[in-house]
Structures are given as C-alpha cells and as structure tokens.
Amino acid sequence: MIKSAILLAAGRGKRQRPYTDVTPKPLLEVSGRATLDYVLRAAAKAGIERVCIVTHHLEEMIFEYVGDGSKWNLSATFAHQAVLRGSGDALRSVPKDWIRDEPVMVVATDYILEEESLLELVEAHERQEAGITMSLKECPAKELAARSSVEVDSDWRVKKIVEKPGPQEIMSPYAASVMFIFPSAMWEYLPKVQPSARGEIELQSAVDMMIQDGYRAFGLLQRAPPEWSPELSEKTERL
C-alpha cells in the first residue's frame, strides 16, 4: 500500500490569467468542483492516508479549502515553495520530518482526475513490483514538446524520459504526466539535479538518473485528461 502523497499546488497558472490572479489554479472549478478536489478524492480512493501539499501562489486560499484534510479522510500538511523553480524544487520544499522511508506518490493538482486514476497507478506499481511507476498519456508531437517524451519497451518498461523535448528528442507518442510513485531513494537523487536551461530543477531529471542507475520503472498508459486537449487547456477556468 502507498500511504503518502505529495501534491504539487504552487504554480501561478499563467495561462489561466486573469482568473488565477484571484484564485489559485488548483481551486479553479471544472463542472462545479475545484481541480484539487478531483485529486484529493482520487488519492483517498487509492488508499493514501496523508498528503503534503506544496503551495506558493495564494496559498492561504488552499489552506482554507483543504484544512486538515479530514473532508477527504486524509491527514493534510503543507510545504511552502519559496521560489517557483520546477517540480523537483517543489519536492525539495517538503519538510524532512514529513518524509518517511517508504514509497511516495507525487501528483500535480491541476488535473481533472477520474476517481480510479490513482488507484490504477498503485495497482500497476504492485503488479509490476516496480521501483518507479508513472502515468503515461498518448499525445500529438506538439503536446509532447510542452510536456515530456518517454521511451518504453514492449513491456512498458521505461528506458528514458526527457522533459520538454526538442523535435529530435521525441522517442515515442507517450508523455509522462506528473503522476508518479517513487521509492524513498528519490530523496537522495533530487539534490543531484542541476538547473535546466530554463533554470528549473526538473523532477524528470531525477527520474531519468534513477532509471539510468538501474531502478525498474514502468509506465501505465491512461486516458489523457480532458484538460490536455487544445480546446480545453485554454478554457479550463470557464467550465
């Protein structure tokens, strides 16, 4: 069982401005529910018991919305990302006293998740006896360039991952969304990640280091969330 999850909720949501000037991106509503609610419900369904939510922009609103997490049968705590320097840097913000020597799930909070999505990820992780499990989505090349590209074999074992690939770096039609399960060794790799050309500490760089060092990583192909469609990605805040 995976009991702990880190939820990434610090971003400013620049593409959703001016709406995110007054509402943090994870609290924008889709079909009458905050996207963060979709993620919290899916986490609870997957057997998660405790979450650490990494925040920055308008974080007081997220504190008030989540509270202690009991509405979702979760125990919630928060971590402040002082400077927005990527998902790897967000994980570095997690307090050391929250970290346990156990696998941990990492999920972005701007996905409109189906309630079974994270449970499927946990089940795949256990079935494959994996070190790392990640959710893969099939995407057109233009979408891959804005996200990531993943090389997999016929058994869905992940061989390599590149964040925001150039045209020559695209290895397959699959992108890794920020829905991962990691071993506790992840915490040893994050400090090794150097800033990218964009000045970000990218989680995917730590993932690739672990893969190249021999950690068994598998991808689970799941349906791309509706907000990944070109039409909806620009109109999420209006739904």
Side-chain angles (χ1 to χ4, degrees), residues 132-141 143-145 147-166 169-180 204-205 207-208 211-212 217-221 228:
I132 303 166
T133 303
M134 63 188 76
S135 176
L136 302 183
K137 310 296 194 293
E138 188 168 356
C139 300
E143 193 73 15
L144 290 168
R147 299 186 183 280
S148 63
S149 180
V150 176
E151 180 185 357
V152 293
D153 66 15
S154 59
D155 294 321
W156 294 98
R157 183 160 180 174
V158 178
K159 300 296 187 180
K160 187 175 180 60
I161 179 171
V162 177
E163 177 72 355
K164 295 182 175 62
E169 296 177 300
I170 292 177
M171 300 170 286
S172 77
Y174 307 118
S177 51
V178 184
M179 294 167 57
F180 292 96
Q204 287 79 357
S205 296
V207 177
D208 196 57
I211 292 170
Q212 303 316 316
F218 286 89
L220 172 67
L221 185 62
W228 280 30

Side-chain angles (χ1 to χ4, degrees), residues 161 189-194 204-215:
I161 179 171
Y189 280 81
L190 284 171
K192 302 176 184 178
V193 177
Q194 298 299 311
Q204 287 79 357
S205 296
V207 177
D208 196 57
M209 283 185 198
M210 296 178 75
I211 292 170
Q212 303 316 316
D213 279 354
Y215 282 87

Side-chain angles (χ1 to χ4, degrees), residues 88-140:
D89 184 67
L91 293 182
R92 290 181 178 184
S93 305
V94 174
K96 286 186 171 55
D97 61 4
W98 187 87
I99 296 169
R100 294 177 178 173
D101 185 16
E102 64 180 14
V104 63
M105 182 182 290
V106 176
V107 186
T109 58
D110 52 354
Y111 297 145
I112 308 166
L113 291 185
E114 296 177 358
E115 201 155 306
E116 303 287 333
S117 297
L118 299 181
L119 176 60
E120 292 171 357
L121 196 69
V122 170
E123 290 174 342
H125 186 76
E126 294 173 348
R127 184 170 59 250
Q128 296 283 11
E129 298 182 348
I132 303 166
T133 303
M134 63 188 76
S135 176
L136 302 183
K137 310 296 194 293
E138 188 168 356
C139 300

Side-chain angles (χ1 to χ4, degrees), residues 1-75:
M1 293 290 292
I2 310 298
K3 297 180 179 179
S4 303
I6 300 166
L7 308 182
L8 307 183
R12 292 184 177 275
K14 292 179 181 178
R15 288 191 297 176
Q16 282 79 27
R17 293 188 69 185
Y19 303 95
T20 51
D21 288 341
V22 295
T23 302
K25 186 177 180 180
L27 298 188
L28 293 176
E29 292 193 355
V30 178
S31 301
R33 294 166 55 194
T35 57
L36 181 54
D37 179 59
Y38 288 87
V39 176
L40 290 167
R41 288 176 184 269
K45 182 78 172 182
I48 297 296
E49 298 176 358
R50 58 197 291 264
V51 297
C52 181
I53 305 177
V54 181
T55 59
H56 176 92
H57 178 58
L58 300 175
E59 60 188 3
E60 295 82 3
M61 296 177 69
I62 298 176
F63 300 160
E64 183 177 356
Y65 179 80
V66 176
D68 63 2
S70 58
K71 177 181 175 181
W72 297 271
N73 294 318
L74 297 166
S75 173

